[in-house]
Amino acid sequence: MTPRLVQGHELPKSVDVHHAWIPMPDGVRLHARIWLPTDAHEQPVPALLEYLPYRKSDWTSVRDAERHPWYAGHGYASVRVDIRGCGDSDGVFDDEYSENELNDGLAVIAWLAEQPWCTGKVGMFGISWGGFNSLQLAAMKPPALKAIVTVCSSDDRYDNDVHYVGGSVLGIDMTAWAGTMLAFSSRPPDPQHVGDRWLDLWRRRLDHVTPPLLTWLSHQTRDAYWQRASVCEDYSAIEAAVLAVGGWADPYHDTVLRLVENLSAPARGILGPWAHQYPDRATTPGPAMGFLQETLRWWDFWLKDIPTGVLEDAALRVFLEDSRPPVTAPGDVPGVWLATEWPAAAMRPIALPRASVPSRDDWVIVHTAQHVGVDSGKFFPYGNLTDLAPDQRADDGRSVAFELFVAEKNVTLLGNPEVVLRLDSARPRGQIIVRLCDVAPDGSSRLVSRGVLNLSSRQGRDRVVPFTPGEPETVRVRLTGLGVRIAAGHALRLVLSSTYWPWVWPQPEAGPLRVHLPSSSVTLPILDPARTPERDEVRWESAEHSAVAEPVVLHQRRARGPDGREMSQREIRHDVETGRWRLLVDPAYGGSRTYPHGLVYGEEVHEAYAITDGDPLSAEANSRWLVTLGRDEWQVSLRTEQDVTADANNFRVRARLLAEVLSADGQEVVETVADRTWDELIPRTAG
């Protein structure tokens, strides 16, 4: 359902928009857009901060306009700040969640609290990056920060972010997001805000930029680099009140469960069916909720001392999805809302039944083709038409499957399954991937949970311990949390594979694995049938956004792929002669558009992933970005390329950055501001 648009005259307060430069201790200035109630100087209000690298003047401006004016109209100073070296802020960007970023964040919070229009109380919110740094800054205890709302974020930078999963390199998003951040951190500021300084600022950014993948791949275990700013290292450091929000289709949803369980500060969780989006946006899967109204209850209690009853809410309000077809864009999905404490379900062990492949002396061999995983879906579903994993029958058939049970009546699973395997590896390196699928009577298979274990990290993510072939060990694989009601007549299927491309990068020379069935099991979080609601225990208001007086004009244009033709969002190609599998992706981040302030923004992105059967060293991941920005006579262009391959000993990262000033019509190059290339080898340690 499309959110209702709230016109300015419907808001309790009228709103003005201001731009401000916020000084940092080292002299760098960050640029801020502030939506402020018109009477805030006479009646000061609390401040809400969203702090991002994603460019408020263009990339997030649509999303910003949906919520910042709404908050301001309800009596808050709603503030959007570009991180150092990004968007219109001064300085250079160094890395995600860097010491500079977090120290600047502390300075911004202090500055907001000191403004004459502010009561001295500050809240912070954000989705993804903004949700991450909300948690991280809360752990640094700035006195003015009283409460946060963190959406689709993670408390664990190593094992629950875009870099690694289960100790394995994320092939699909380690590389794609690194390419994205290379493009983001290389864009110029807007002359409308920085004036004639824009070119000098851009040159400085381009001189400083480094492909982030070089850093991320240099830390293949959970070392100090990842521990810093992972709030799971010390949950007790957070004292501000935390409302954690996520969606089952988002890869970060387990953070909601961990925060609710582990925080000593006041904490509540909301976990719905959503993708990597704010849950008031009309994307799939839905339905959407009145997120702004619900967060207003949070802010009013913690920042205005209004008794809104938020502490009377259940620790976790969670959507239990019903069995449904495995489609990539399901729209609003069926299910029911549960209000519960956490944890909620009892853990029930189940022995592994007969496998889908022959076994010998109670051992089954897991040795799957390199292209198992082509139906894994997008790591970050944004609500696009092809984001979710499709029917899993093909990948199930290429793997080793176990039908755990056929439900005689509805069975509700809520929590994190865990698989225990007695396992032997034919090589010192390898990985095991576990999936759980809801299988309908017609044979269709819907992915509901999965887990990855790099065998070298089985004794801890902070170390590399090669496997000794011929010496079986017991390993544990924790799967992602799920909240599903398996319908009567449906089966729950457990699936094992030794490969999962492009979700995880294949290990070199990985050989067959053997699993001893009598010594292996799966433990499922099964909710007491008496506790499974028949009707919603939670009611939400309908979603609404602030209306934009001058809407952005979208230019519907698809990305052009490596062969120059327009792409679909997701395409799988198989060259039968060579055995080469190729996945082409247009991530459809937002596309080209014209903004009310006259900026014309162009964006073309494509990703490609390829692998050849029988050859784990044939894996290749590519990222391509083309961005154009223009207003009147100001026209610029930015291209980035990134290619990742690996041999048995090293990852190889090749990248290029080309930044140009164009003629007024955008057709000719006036100046090449930067043309930089990188070609570097990074030793494979855990990866």
Side-chain angles (χ1 to χ4, degrees):
M1 179 182 295
T2 301
R4 184 179 81 87
L5 298 181
V6 180
Q7 304 296 325
H9 64 82
E10 299 179 76
L11 295 169
K13 289 181 175 288
S14 58
V15 177
D16 291 330
V17 182
H18 304 268
H19 295 272
W21 290 100
I22 302 178
M24 297 295 102
D26 63 356
V28 167
R29 298 182 307 163
L30 305 188
H31 196 261
R33 180 177 290 131
I34 303 171
W35 290 261
L36 194 65
T38 55
D39 61 354
H41 285 277
E42 293 75 35
Q43 300 181 40
V45 295
L48 302 178
L49 169 64
E50 188 176 22
Y51 178 50
L52 295 170
Y54 298 146
R55 303 177 59 89
K56 58 182 169 44
S57 290
D58 46 74
W59 212 68
T60 68
S61 66
V62 174
R63 192 177 78 190
D64 295 347
E66 294 169 351
R67 55 205 68 248
H68 286 280
W70 194 95
Y71 284 137
H74 285 84
Y76 290 86
S78 202
V79 183
R80 172 69 174 82
V81 176
D82 284 335
I83 284 172
R84 173 187 296 244
C86 300
D88 298 320
S89 289
D90 293 346
V92 293
F93 176 81
D94 45 9
D95 195 6
E96 56 182 14
Y97 322 121
S98 68
E99 291 187 13
N100 275 334
E101 174 184 334
L102 298 182
N103 288 333
D104 286 351
L106 295 176
V108 170
I109 291 169
W111 184 89
L112 292 173
E114 293 168 356
Q115 297 312 298
W117 39 258
C118 183
T119 62
K121 292 185 177 181
V122 177
M124 194 169 178
F125 72 93
I127 179 172
S128 197
W129 196 301
F132 273 73
N133 62 27
S134 295
L135 284 168
Q136 293 158 3
L137 284 164
M140 299 175 78
K141 298 184 178 65
L145 185 62
K146 305 301 182 184
I148 69 170
V149 176
T150 179
V151 184
C152 295
S153 70
S154 180
D155 57 346
D156 187 342
R157 292 185 59 220
Y158 179 74
D159 221 20
N160 194 193
D161 197 1
V162 298
H163 316 97
Y164 297 89
V165 59
S168 286
V169 172
L170 267 170
I172 197 167
D173 229 71
M174 167 81 91
T175 52
W177 195 247
T180 298
M181 285 312 301
L182 177 60
F184 269 75
S185 60
S186 302
R187 300 179 192 182
D190 191 334
Q192 190 172 81
H193 298 297
V194 303
D196 293 339
R197 299 187 303 136
W198 74 269
L199 187 53
D200 288 338
L201 291 172
W202 194 21
R203 285 197 179 101
R204 189 177 176 209
R205 289 182 185 182
L206 296 171
D207 288 342
H208 184 82
V209 73
T210 299
L213 188 58
L214 300 178
T215 300
W216 300 343
L217 276 178
S218 297
H219 299 273
Q220 293 171 35
T221 59
R222 188 186 181 86
D223 59 13
Y225 174 82
W226 301 111
Q227 292 169 14
R228 190 194 61 77
S230 288
V231 301
C232 63
E233 297 289 324
D234 182 11
Y235 288 111
S236 67
I238 295 178
E239 297 177 354
V242 176
L243 177 60
V245 183
W248 289 122
D250 179 72
Y252 295 156
H253 64 252
D254 280 356
T255 291
V256 175
L257 305 178
R258 291 192 294 265
L259 290 174
V260 169
E261 182 172 359
N262 292 296
L263 286 179
S264 54
R268 295 293 184 270
I270 300 172
L271 195 46
W274 313 297
H276 195 71
Q277 291 277 4
Y278 277 118
D280 51 12
R281 307 198 87 195
T283 59
T284 181
M289 64 168 281
F291 173 78
L292 291 177
Q293 301 96 306
E294 187 60 27
T295 56
L296 185 65
R297 292 180 62 228
W298 191 254
W299 303 129
D300 280 352
F301 181 80
W302 294 108
L303 302 182
K304 292 185 176 179
D305 300 320
I306 298 174
T308 59
V310 294
L311 291 183
E312 299 167 15
D313 295 333
L316 180 67
R317 287 166 286 175
V318 59
F319 187 77
L320 303 176
E321 296 183 331
D322 287 335
S323 293
R324 58 176 173 81
V327 296
T328 60
D332 288 353
V333 299
V336 64
W337 281 95
L338 169 72
T340 182
E341 297 305 302
W342 188 255
M347 301 301 290
R348 175 184 165 189
I350 298 177
L352 295 189
R354 182 176 178 178
S356 61
V357 299
S359 61
R360 182 176 180 181
D361 298 329
D362 292 328
W363 289 84
V364 67
I365 295 175
V366 182
H367 192 205
T368 50
Q370 293 297 329
H371 67 279
V372 169
V374 292
D375 287 332
S376 58
K378 191 172 182 180
F379 182 77
F380 266 123
Y382 284 95
N384 296 322
L385 296 177
T386 64
D387 282 0
L388 299 189
D391 195 326
Q392 297 291 289
R393 275 182 279 199
D395 268 351
D396 292 355
R398 299 176 184 121
S399 306
V400 178
F402 306 85
E403 306 297 330
L404 298 179
F405 61 77
V406 177
E408 296 181 0
K409 55 184 178 180
N410 291 353
V411 176
T412 301
L413 306 177
L414 178 59
N416 293 92
E418 186 175 71
V419 173
V420 176
L421 301 173
R422 185 66 176 171
L423 184 146
D424 188 17
S425 175
R427 300 284 188 273
R429 296 193 180 197
Q431 51 204 359
I432 186 77
I433 295 89
V434 184
R435 291 181 290 117
L436 277 178
C437 298
D438 176 358
V439 182
D442 66 0
S444 59
S445 176
R446 184 172 82 89
L447 180 65
V448 294
S449 180
R450 55 190 150 197
V452 175
L453 178 64
N454 180 348
L455 295 184
S456 71
S457 71
R458 69 196 180 280
Q459 296 182 16
R461 302 291 190 263
D462 60 341
R463 66 200 70 178
V464 176
V465 182
F467 211 97
T468 302
E471 297 183 9
E473 295 186 32
T474 298
V475 301
R476 296 178 179 272
V477 185
R478 184 176 175 88
L479 276 64
T480 53
L482 75 169
V484 297
R485 298 195 296 186
I486 307 297
H490 284 228
L492 186 66
R493 176 180 290 163
L494 178 76
V495 188
L496 304 179
S497 65
S498 58
T499 53
Y500 203 51
W501 176 258
W503 197 268
V504 293
W505 203 280
Q507 288 284 340
E509 302 179 359
L513 309 175
R514 295 195 308 143
V515 176
H516 188 242
L517 299 184
S519 306
S520 303
S521 63
V522 58
T523 302
L524 299 175
I526 298 180
L527 191 66
D528 186 337
R531 188 62 192 90
T532 303
E534 293 299 322
R535 59 184 59 86
D536 288 337
E537 295 182 351
V538 181
R539 296 285 183 180
W540 307 108
E541 295 188 50
S542 298
E544 62 183 45
H545 290 157
S546 53
V548 182
E550 296 181 74
V552 169
V553 178
L554 297 177
H555 308 303
Q556 300 297 333
R557 185 174 69 186
R558 290 187 177 272
R560 285 164 291 188
D563 55 7
R565 67 181 179 88
E566 288 192 346
M567 298 175 59
S568 58
Q569 286 188 9
R570 190 176 187 87
E571 179 181 341
I572 298 172
R573 301 179 185 177
H574 179 208
D575 186 329
V576 178
E577 181 178 352
T578 64
R580 190 74 166 166
W581 289 79
R582 191 168 180 84
L583 172 64
L584 303 176
V585 179
D586 173 2
Y589 285 128
S592 304
R593 41 208 183 268
T594 299
Y595 293 94
H597 52 66
L599 180 70
V600 180
Y601 174 86
E603 177 179 289
E604 287 191 41
V605 191
H606 76 264
E607 303 162 11
Y609 307 90
I611 201 163
T612 301
D613 278 339
D615 184 4
L617 302 182
S618 65
E620 181 179 358
N622 316 110
S623 167
R624 300 287 185 271
W625 277 79
L626 168 61
V627 174
T628 55
L629 296 163
R631 182 190 294 106
D632 301 326
E633 307 244 328
W634 179 68
Q635 304 287 332
V636 297
S637 170
L638 177 75
R639 294 180 183 269
T640 63
E641 302 175 0
Q642 181 179 268
D643 302 315
V644 185
T645 57
D647 59 23
N649 301 309
N650 298 288
F651 286 100
R652 184 178 185 183
V653 178
R654 287 172 290 185
R656 185 188 181 196
L657 164 64
L658 177 63
E660 298 171 324
V661 178
L662 305 179
S663 58
D665 60 4
Q667 300 302 307
E668 297 180 7
V669 176
V670 174
E671 178 183 351
T672 298
V673 184
D675 188 353
R676 301 183 60 192
T677 59
W678 295 264
D679 189 347
E680 299 198 22
L681 297 179
I682 301 172
R684 298 184 74 164
T685 53

